[in-house]
Amino acid sequence: MKSLMSEYTNPKKFEIEYSLDGKRFDNIKRFTIINGIDVLKLFAAAWCFYKSQISGNQSESIHILNKRGTFVAIEYEVDKQQTSSSFMRMMCEHWSLMDELEVSNMDSDYGDILLFERLYLNENVQSGEQTTTVGISMSENSISFLYQFNSELFQENLINRVHRRVLGIALQMASRPFDPLHEISLIDESESKEVLYHFNESKRDYPEDKTMIELFEQQVERNPDHIALEFKGITLTYRELNARANQVGRRLREEGVMPDTIVGIMAQRSVEMIVGIYGVLKAGGAYLPIDPEMPISRMKFMLSDSKSPVLLTGPCSQEKVSQLEDIHIIDLGTFEEGETANLDHYALPEHLAYVIYTSGTTGNPKGVMVENRNLVNFVFWMLEDEYLPDEVILQKTTYAFDLSIWELFVGYMAGAKLVLLPPEDEKEPEKNRSINLSTTGYSYLFRTVGSGRVSALCR
């Protein structure tokens, strides 16, 4: 087999050899003797069934190399209701081509061989470019398999997985010949455990007993003088941002805001928007972002549906604000004085952190309520990317869209700086590039802005 396959060797080809012996070999050998089916036909059946499972096609073919060095295709119908035994009998009936193919007892160092071509790609058989070939040889005590494949198309771990699956199918056919094909498992026990348990192992340690605002205040203690926020040349340190959020939170407490109270915020991207969001969390409530550009009817629906008693406003259309009725409105630009100390924490992890409404394309918008524990869980999952205190996050996503959540919270849990993109610059690439951002150390680079780097624009 090695000498024959060497005729097809090129720099892109790679070879892997496997051997089957011991108890599993004995089971297959016993099956072939009792049923009068040689090992080549058994593995041809396994390959054909595997290809059918992967492609979803009922009709599949095996390409066999004859002594003249050309590939001949034999096509089979794979009916998953038939038994393995009847499927293999059907293959034996088709094996009248064996005389033409002259596969048995070929002149090779390996003895009896069978080669399957084009296991994955649907290229023309006559193209002369065999992407994958498999050689099988049976001796007295073992079965050997030699895979030759295009290393530019397939990695070794893929070939390992395919071989393990086809071998598993052949073993099932041999041990349960009277079971229908649809009962054959494509993956073995070890791969099943990997898929069901290892791939789904998502348990992580995170501060599940803390709310987002408690974790933010811990960062304030660690990095009080680090720049937390920048917008149009205005900067706030963590200490200053925390103080302004405390002022808003204290005022909201006076207005009766408590855990699970939903507080609307309507503001363009600005310092007031960030202060308002963290102020609501300081009070123990949940913020409801309202895009100032949305229709007034949608604003009224969201405020009514969420039963928001208070609306915080920042830079936005005062004409729209004046049309909102039956809600107490607080201007975020009026907080110049007031107590800046941290408030007592009333909210618990199971209380709401924010509510974001869907687009409403299939009817009325629906409010999606997210608790503090869910927000903290998400943020600490994102922190596995190792954000650092010297990172810079560009906040450019509308805060009424859930993609904004990582921009608004993840960086602050790492002590990073949040830079707000002016709303008028969203569609001005030249102005975007003029923003002076810089960061050092490891970061996730989405695009370059100016001479520096932005850790990420979207995730």
Side-chain angles (χ1 to χ4, degrees):
M1 179 161 62
K2 289 180 180 178
S3 61
L4 181 63
M5 295 188 75
S6 64
E7 297 178 18
Y8 298 94
T9 301
N10 63 52
K12 299 178 183 179
K13 291 292 184 179
F14 191 80
E15 292 184 357
I16 302 178
E17 186 171 350
Y18 304 91
S19 180
L20 178 68
D21 52 20
K23 184 177 180 180
R24 294 191 299 175
F25 168 76
D26 293 338
N27 290 340
I28 286 181
K29 185 176 182 179
R30 186 181 307 111
F31 170 81
T32 59
I33 293 174
I34 293 175
N35 293 275
I37 299 176
D38 63 56
V39 68
L40 304 182
K41 297 183 180 66
L42 171 61
F43 276 93
W47 274 112
C48 198
F49 178 74
Y50 173 74
K51 288 181 65 178
S52 174
Q53 289 288 88
I54 294 299
S55 67
N57 298 328
Q58 186 171 349
S59 178
E60 280 296 347
S61 60
I62 294 293
H63 295 81
I64 305 175
L65 185 69
N66 64 15
K67 193 171 184 179
R68 291 183 293 276
T70 58
F71 284 101
V72 179
I74 305 180
E75 188 168 314
Y76 300 97
E77 290 294 322
V78 182
D79 181 359
K80 295 179 183 178
Q81 300 303 318
Q82 66 184 143
T83 65
S84 297
S85 178
S86 63
F87 180 57
M88 283 183 280
R89 281 200 305 271
M90 178 193 70
M91 294 197 72
C92 289
E93 292 173 1
H94 284 74
W95 220 258
S96 59
L97 290 172
M98 289 294 291
D99 291 339
E100 175 193 345
L101 297 175
E102 302 179 43
V103 173
S104 298
N105 299 316
M106 293 182 68
D107 182 17
S108 107
D109 297 337
Y110 249 64
D112 294 346
I113 67 171
L114 182 64
L115 296 181
F116 305 110
E117 187 263 350
R118 295 196 322 137
L119 297 178
Y120 313 96
L121 302 182
N122 294 321
E123 297 176 359
N124 192 314
V125 178
Q126 303 302 324
S127 66
E129 180 64 23
Q130 288 77 35
T131 57
T132 309
T133 58
V134 184
I136 301 175
S137 174
M138 181 173 177
S139 66
E140 184 65 27
N141 300 310
S142 67
I143 302 174
S144 296
F145 306 85
L146 184 64
Y147 287 70
Q148 188 182 79
F149 57 95
N150 188 329
S151 59
E152 291 186 349
L153 297 176
F154 308 112
Q155 296 181 347
E156 184 174 349
N157 61 351
L158 173 62
I159 300 299
N160 290 336
R161 183 163 64 248
V162 169
H163 174 71
R164 186 173 67 245
R165 288 176 175 179
V166 174
L167 178 59
I169 292 170
L171 289 167
Q172 291 176 75
M173 287 180 166
S175 61
R176 305 198 309 273
F178 301 110
D179 287 358
L181 292 176
H182 67 78
E183 293 186 4
I184 291 178
S185 175
L186 189 64
I187 60 178
D188 59 20
E189 184 177 357
S190 63
E191 189 173 357
S192 177
K193 288 181 178 179
E194 183 179 33
V195 171
L196 294 176
Y197 302 107
H198 178 69
F199 290 167
N200 289 297
E201 179 50 64
S202 59
K203 184 176 177 61
R204 297 290 187 276
D205 291 329
Y206 71 98
E208 53 188 329
D209 60 336
K210 300 291 184 182
T211 63
M212 182 54 60
I213 207 63
E214 290 178 89
L215 296 169
F216 173 73
E217 290 173 356
Q218 291 177 3
Q219 272 301 329
V220 174
E221 293 179 7
R222 284 193 287 266
N223 303 289
D225 299 317
H226 194 92
I227 299 298
L229 184 62
E230 180 180 327
F231 179 68
K232 291 185 175 181
I234 300 172
T235 61
L236 294 181
T237 65
Y238 273 79
R239 190 200 315 272
E240 292 168 335
L241 175 57
N242 185 63
R244 291 185 59 172
N246 283 330
Q247 290 177 320
V248 175
R250 189 164 277 102
R251 174 67 181 279
L252 291 174
R253 286 268 178 94
E254 294 171 356
E255 298 293 338
V257 172
M258 60 183 66
D260 285 343
T261 299
I262 299 172
V263 178
I265 302 178
M266 184 166 67
Q268 292 180 339
R269 194 176 300 112
S270 58
V271 170
E272 288 80 6
M273 183 190 82
I274 302 298
V275 170
I277 289 173
Y278 278 82
V280 173
L281 296 176
K282 287 279 190 175
Y287 76 92
L288 166 62
I290 299 175
D291 187 344
E293 302 301 320
M294 68 174 53
I296 187 67
S297 59
R298 179 181 169 94
M299 294 180 181
K300 290 182 177 180
F301 172 81
M302 291 167 59
L303 291 169
S304 173
D305 186 64
S306 64
K307 297 180 173 58
S308 299
V310 181
L311 174 66
L312 300 176
T313 63
C316 60
S317 170
Q318 292 305 310
E319 179 183 353
K320 288 185 177 179
V321 173
S322 64
Q323 298 180 56
L324 299 174
E325 303 171 349
D326 302 324
I327 189 168
H328 183 51
I329 298 174
I330 299 176
D331 187 348
L332 287 165
T334 61
F335 290 88
E336 296 181 357
E337 297 181 358
E339 177 61 47
T340 60
N342 286 337
L343 289 77
D344 293 335
H345 299 132
Y346 290 174
L348 299 174
E350 59 266 28
H351 289 131
L352 294 178
Y354 65 89
V355 177
I356 289 182
Y357 274 74
T358 61
S359 63
T361 53
T362 59
N364 285 330
K366 299 174 180 62
V368 179
M369 302 183 290
V370 178
E371 298 174 353
N372 269 276
R373 59 186 170 193
N374 304 125
L375 176 57
V376 172
N377 186 356
F378 169 76
V379 166
F380 275 78
W381 168 69
M382 292 292 294
L383 286 174
E384 291 184 0
D385 287 340
E386 300 181 12
Y387 288 87
L388 301 175
D390 54 8
E391 301 275 11
V392 176
I393 308 295
L394 181 62
Q395 205 285 308
K396 65 176 291 291
T397 307
T398 172
Y399 72 149
F401 182 43
D402 59 3
L403 187 61
S404 67
I405 297 304
W406 84 264
E407 296 175 342
L408 297 171
F409 296 104
V410 174
Y412 281 160
M413 293 302 100
K417 178 171 70 173
L418 183 65
V419 176
L420 306 181
L421 178 69
E424 62 271 18
D425 292 349
E426 288 181 352
K427 299 180 180 180
E428 298 289 340
E430 292 302 321
K431 291 184 178 180
N432 288 358
R433 285 194 289 270
S434 69
I435 297 175
N436 183 20
L437 297 174
S438 62
T439 183
T440 59
Y442 180 78
S443 69
Y444 282 78
L445 177 63
F446 184 83
R447 58 173 285 193
T448 301
V449 180
S451 60
R453 294 186 302 166
V454 179
S455 303
L457 292 180
C458 67
R459 186 66 181 144

